[in-house]
Amino acid sequence: MDSPLLEMGKKMEMIKFFLVGLSILLGCTQAADHGHESSGGRRRLAAAPNLPVPITLLTSAVNKGAVCIDGTPPAYHMDPGFGAGKNKWIIDLEGGGWCDSVGGCLYRKASRLGSSNLMSKQMYFAGILSSSPVDNPDFYNWNRVMIRYCDGASFAGEGYDARNGLYFRGQRIFNAAIQYFLSIGMASADQVLLTGTSAGALAVMLHCDQFSAFFAGRSTTVKCLADAGLFLDAVDVSGGRTLRSYYGRVIATHGVAPNLPKSCTARLDATSCFFPQNIIGSINTPIFLLNAAYDTWQIRESLAPNVADHNGAWRACKSNRLACDASQIKILQAFRGQMVATVQGFSGSKHSNGFFINSCFIHGQSENHATWNANGSPAIQNKDIGKSVGDWYFGRAEVKAIDCPYPCDNTCHHDI
């Protein structure tokens, strides 16, 4: 579920800054420990703008049983803060779907989404994680961390399948990682932001108050940002609920239920409490929802999945929005209506919450250079995404923005 634009952005960044990067590398002192946790909480020097950020294995987490699906240590990438941002932190939870069965998790076990042995050894940070003051003026000099995703249940599972050697330890990974960053300086942070995209955004919503609780009794400003995580409990084109059935299997496979928000499970079943629409209203920590009203992953996998599209009528529409006929556009507008109604109900729950729902066909916008804060990035009422999130986080303005229906917005970066 990584955004195609995110992957494209990473490749473009590599090409664009190759020559500049060579000259910077010649004069840049940067730690080269790519394989092990920093000893004694030693922090790496900040990477130069648009240079790769190396991976670190959180080996101390293994003793706590906090491991990936295959039993390898969890991992993260960290670009330390500098200047005025030395005491401010962004913790980003990587996305990447879920696995809902033993077979699916065995497949995932043999990939970067289930094993830290198979993860790339470096990553290019972009969007809200960028170290460029031009592209990311509000957060560029913060401590920016991406916690890699390797548990398959939005950092919320707790279980072990001994027969198949599958570890479902997402909740332990989340706890161990946050405790580690607290131990190396985040405990004294002035400001922190928990963020994530897609399955990582769902993890943010599930863990936002848990994250805030780590700072209880401190004066730290704690907020959360969920990008492309507003997965709706929608009726699909055949009248079924494909995503609800899928989520039910994820919860059962990973043992997620005990780790779901108690404010929700006290009144609803566990599957319902994996859907953001049933939990966002009771999150106490200030949270910002960033989502496209025509979320392309949800169109493909929830609204019109192949199992519900019996005659393939949606195949062309799912690949190209311009191929959608009038009846399909009507269904898409109803889907948007459900999302708008969800955030409007959420908006009244807390003055300190915010949202930005644009009418674009895309999945994930905060980790991409083109859709975060570059010239021509998506905007609502002339305010782009990066500026909107910054205004909300720092209290410069209230941000509760809902775009007009497609096709009115000509600032979108569509991915279909």
Side-chain angles (χ1 to χ4, degrees), residues 142-381:
W142 287 31
N143 296 280
R144 285 155 288 107
V145 177
M146 175 175 279
I147 301 175
R148 300 300 298 268
Y149 183 40
C150 65
D151 68 275
S154 288
F155 295 87
E158 176 54 53
Y160 174 59
D161 183 337
R163 180 177 179 181
N164 295 287
L166 298 174
Y167 294 85
F168 304 123
R169 298 288 175 76
Q171 184 66 50
R172 295 196 200 190
I173 292 173
F174 176 80
N175 290 339
I178 300 306
Q179 288 168 351
Y180 172 71
F181 293 116
L182 289 169
S183 76
I184 64 168
M186 191 170 69
S188 60
D190 299 323
Q191 296 170 314
V192 295
L193 176 63
L194 179 68
T195 183
T197 297
S198 193
L202 175 56
V204 168
M205 289 181 271
L206 292 173
H207 295 91
C208 185
D209 283 343
Q210 295 175 26
F211 180 70
S212 183
F214 282 105
F215 299 90
R218 299 184 172 102
S219 59
T220 310
T221 297
V222 183
K223 297 187 180 183
C224 302
L225 164 65
D227 173 19
L230 196 55
F231 299 101
L232 299 177
D233 190 2
V235 176
D236 63 42
V237 294
S238 70
R241 291 186 180 270
T242 300
L243 190 56
R244 169 169 276 272
S245 298
Y246 181 76
Y247 274 178
R249 295 192 298 271
V250 171
I251 289 167
T253 299
H254 291 260
V256 171
N259 295 322
L260 295 171
K262 301 299 186 290
S263 58
C264 183
T265 55
R267 56 189 176 84
L268 296 173
D269 63 275
T271 301
S272 295
C273 295
F274 210 59
F275 281 101
Q277 65 200 68
N278 297 319
I279 60 177
I280 54 177
S282 58
I283 295 174
N284 294 315
T285 307
I287 186 169
F288 191 97
L289 305 181
L290 167 61
N291 229 98
Y294 309 94
D295 185 299
T296 48
W297 187 90
Q298 293 191 64
I299 292 172
R300 291 193 305 266
E301 305 297 338
S302 178
L303 185 64
N306 292 337
V307 294
D309 183 23
H310 305 304
N311 58 6
W314 280 80
R315 191 173 300 132
C317 178
K318 289 190 294 183
S319 300
N320 180 3
R321 70 190 186 284
L322 302 178
C324 301
D325 61 30
S327 64
Q328 290 168 332
I329 290 293
K330 185 176 181 180
I331 291 172
L332 291 172
Q333 299 295 23
F335 178 81
R336 171 190 176 272
Q338 183 180 352
M339 185 174 292
V340 168
T342 297
V343 297
Q344 285 177 333
F346 154 82
S347 69
S349 63
K350 237 181 163 185
H351 176 75
S352 56
N353 290 334
F355 53 80
F356 186 104
I357 309 297
N358 57 358
S359 290
C360 305
F361 284 78
I362 194 170
H363 182 67
Q365 301 176 89
S366 68
E367 295 174 0
N368 187 338
H369 165 79
T371 52
W372 176 248
N373 207 341
N375 290 331
S377 63
I380 298 178
Q381 296 179 348

Side-chain angles (χ1 to χ4, degrees), residues 32-105:
D33 176 11
H34 291 197
H36 300 283
E37 180 181 344
S38 301
S39 61
R42 180 176 55 83
R43 291 167 55 188
R44 294 188 176 90
L45 297 176
N50 302 303
L51 290 180
V53 181
I55 196 170
T56 301
L57 299 183
L58 189 58
T59 53
S60 61
V62 176
N63 291 334
K64 301 175 182 178
V67 293
C68 298
I69 291 175
D70 71 338
T72 54
Y76 67 89
H77 300 256
M78 177 177 174
D79 195 1
F82 55 93
K86 285 184 67 175
N87 213 31
K88 308 177 193 299
W89 291 69
I90 287 179
I91 302 293
D92 184 84
L93 303 178
E94 186 183 24
W98 310 271
C99 58
D100 67 332
S101 65
V102 168
C105 293

